[in-house]
Amino acid sequence: TYVVTDNCIRCKYTDCVEVCPVDCFYEGENFLVIHPDECIDCGVCEPECPAEAIKPDTEPGLDKWLKINADFATVWPNITIKRDAMPEAKEMDGEEGKYEKYFS
Ligand code: SF4
Ligand code: F3S
């Protein structure tokens, strides 16, 4: 599966949702996640993300993010249509450790 990772937080560009053939993105207030059981590993979303936040779970060190994606995908609503990025997207793009900063 592919996973949405830290840099999506408070950017949420949503370009990714438009290209997913199986519509497996789910939307929280500050970032999106991918449902790992629905993702068919096609990879088309990865280059679409301006924040480079989407990665294959075969990359090392993504265990935490795989769990975050799996957990929130079961409770957040599905999103298939692109919407405006968050107002602070440009300033937030590239900030390190957003999850720790804003959610713990
Ligand atoms: Fe959707 Fe393909 Fe991205 Fe998986 S890899 S989330 S199926 S676009
Ligand atoms: Fe997030 Fe990138 Fe999609 S910032 S909403 S994963 S296009």
Side-chain angles (χ1 to χ4, degrees):
T1 184
Y2 279 67
V3 292
V4 176
T5 64
D6 201 69
N7 203 32
C8 180
I9 294 171
R10 295 181 68 180
C11 287
K12 203 161 79 165
Y13 288 112
T14 72
D15 301 66
C16 52
V17 307
E18 296 258 294
V19 299
C20 181
V22 295
D23 294 341
C24 63
F25 283 89
Y26 293 81
E27 183 181 23
E29 210 176 315
N30 300 293
F31 64 104
L32 303 192
V33 293
I34 291 168
H35 196 312
D37 297 336
E38 295 175 0
C39 174
I40 58 170
D41 261 335
C42 72
V44 302
C45 57
E46 186 182 12
E48 295 300 319
C49 175
E52 297 183 12
I54 302 176
K55 299 182 176 149
D57 76 337
T58 47
E59 276 191 19
L62 290 182
D63 288 0
K64 178 183 92 172
W65 279 99
L66 181 57
K67 182 161 168 38
I68 289 168
N69 278 246
D71 287 350
F72 287 130
T74 63
V75 291
W76 287 351
N78 192 241
I79 172 172
T80 58
I81 297 175
K82 179 173 165 53
R83 60 171 90 238
D84 289 344
M86 297 193 72
E88 68 269 38
K90 282 226 164 63
E91 298 85 84
M92 294 303 300
D93 196 344
E95 186 168 323
E96 308 257 318
K98 294 186 208 174
Y99 193 81
E100 281 68 27
K101 253 181 235 166
Y102 303 114
F103 300 104
S104 56

